[in-house]
Amino acid sequence: SKASSGPPPPPPETVKKIGVVGAGQMGAGIAQVAAGVAKLPVLLHDANKAQIDKAFKFIDVLLQKDVLKGKITSEEKDETLGRITKSDIADFKDVDFAIEAISENSALKRELLGVLEKALPDTAILASNTSSISITRLAAATKRPEKVIGMHFMNPVPVMKLVEIIPGLATSPQTLQTTLALSHSMGKTTTQSSDMPGFIANRVLMPYINEAIYVLQEGIAIKEDIDTTMKLGTNVPMGPLTLADFIGLDTCLAILKVLHTQLGDDKYRPSPLLVKYVDAGWLGKKTGRGFYTYE
Ligand code: CAA
């Protein structure tokens, strides 16, 4: 949080209903914590209807694990699932806070925000889970830029405690306060970043991952030793190459390209080895092969 000397921030508005668009891993996780931790009704939409069914199964499996571990009761599991409804965007009429977690494509996100803006009340906030697109640019696609904000969740959403909050140039203090309060009600710790490429997390993480790939490319060490060095040497849960596979090598490359192009410094230049893996379709865990192989 930031120290400030101006007027006190406005009180947050109470969020009563959440709309989540995009039922992939991120969207499913966001729906799960909004319903399970913040205990809010959630409308979940995906352009691909089969994806919503997959998301429900995914959430069910995760909640069942929590039941078996004694973290929640089976009644609580059913209540959480019962708060999530498969929906069309046209049903978002009384949603006061929408979070989009569709694929990382600026044109698609801008188009979606335009659709959401028409479906939701004028007072509703539109949040984006983007990891690399300018919030200011997304906000400018709407007629309510003061109500657009970045809400960057980390994967896996139910486990990771952080949400990075990114106000765009026009985002109002009221929108910021409501988003902070909602994030806290979802059990998350928040940090705040200016709307600059990579925000905080990826500005620091991607050059670190990229450097690990350069160490591999230059033959300085084998992949296992790079990962073990960082895992045991700096007490992180995964070494950088394992983490890159977990995030997706295509995603890492896309974010590095944004940093490189927009910040203009060659310290962000994606490793040619990373480019080669992506060219091969070896995208990490999701394709069964990246720096490591997965069954
Ligand atoms: N969804 C929900 N819960 C999950 C999960 C998932 N996909 N994967 C694991 N978990 C849970 C497990 O159920 C387990 O819960 P309990 O503690 O209640 O038993 C817990 O997480 C630990 O899991 P495991 O014991 O199976 O395995 P682990 O100890 O290796 O942890 C991990 C797995 C949580 C993924 C851990 O390795 C980790 O934290 N890795 C780093 C993740 C990370 O850095 N994420 C951020 C990536 S960057 C990003 O997201 C931003 C971006 O823009 C690119």
Side-chain angles (χ1 to χ4, degrees), residues 39-293:
K39 303 200 185 309
L40 287 165
V42 178
L43 301 186
L44 181 59
H45 175 76
D46 195 295
N48 173 359
K49 291 224 159 58
Q51 185 61 43
I52 311 186
D53 298 330
K54 266 172 89 177
F56 270 99
K57 285 211 188 79
F58 183 66
I59 296 170
D60 194 316
V61 168
L62 291 174
L63 291 173
Q64 187 56 30
K65 275 193 191 163
D66 286 347
V67 172
L68 292 175
K69 285 181 207 147
K71 285 184 167 180
I72 59 170
T73 64
S74 57
E75 290 73 35
E76 284 167 329
K77 176 194 160 193
D78 292 343
E79 282 163 18
T80 297
L81 284 170
R83 287 190 199 100
I84 308 173
T85 311
K86 181 174 172 172
S87 304
D88 285 323
I89 292 181
D91 303 328
F92 280 24
K93 284 185 197 69
D94 55 352
V95 162
D96 42 20
F97 199 107
I99 306 173
E100 74 75 18
I102 66 167
S103 57
E104 199 67 356
N105 175 313
S106 180
L108 284 182
K109 282 187 194 284
R110 283 165 61 92
E111 188 190 325
L112 171 64
L113 288 173
V115 172
L116 283 172
E117 166 161 67
K118 290 198 184 84
L120 273 67
D122 291 344
T123 50
I125 292 175
L126 309 176
S128 173
N129 181 52
T130 182
S131 56
S132 61
I133 299 168
S134 160
I135 301 303
T136 303
R137 190 175 141 72
L138 292 177
T142 75
K143 294 188 192 75
R144 58 178 96 173
E146 74 287 354
K147 296 202 164 286
V148 176
I149 192 161
M151 204 178 181
H152 184 212
F153 289 85
M154 304 289 136
N155 187 23
V157 177
V159 181
M160 304 298 285
K161 293 194 172 66
L162 183 75
V163 183
E164 252 183 324
I165 306 291
I166 309 99
L169 199 55
T171 308
S172 71
Q174 178 78 75
T175 297
L176 173 61
Q177 292 309 314
T178 303
T179 307
L180 289 170
L182 175 67
S183 306
H184 299 152
S185 76
M186 291 167 85
K188 302 303 183 192
T189 298
T190 52
T191 54
Q192 201 179 311
S193 170
S194 285
D195 184 23
M196 289 292 278
F199 314 136
I200 306 168
N202 284 321
R203 174 79 179 259
V204 177
L205 179 62
M206 289 304 159
Y208 158 76
I209 284 176
N210 199 34
E211 201 61 31
I213 303 171
Y214 272 115
V215 170
L216 181 66
Q217 178 187 304
E218 290 170 20
I220 294 166
I222 59 170
K223 59 182 185 289
E224 291 83 359
D225 280 359
I226 297 168
D227 275 347
T228 301
T229 299
M230 300 319 293
K231 186 174 168 180
L232 303 185
T234 69
N235 246 2
V236 286
M238 293 172 162
L241 302 174
T242 305
L243 181 57
D245 274 357
F246 177 78
I247 292 169
L249 302 188
D250 52 341
T251 302
C252 292
L253 178 59
I255 298 171
L256 279 163
K257 280 182 178 166
V258 168
L259 295 175
H260 190 211
T261 321
Q262 296 186 18
L263 297 169
D265 192 319
D266 267 352
K267 73 182 177 184
Y268 305 109
R269 183 172 67 97
S271 143
L273 185 62
L274 173 61
V275 175
K276 190 151 85 175
Y277 272 72
V278 173
D279 283 344
W282 296 2
L283 307 183
K285 213 178 160 202
K286 65 185 169 189
T287 60
R289 177 153 205 183
F291 293 110
Y292 299 89
T293 47

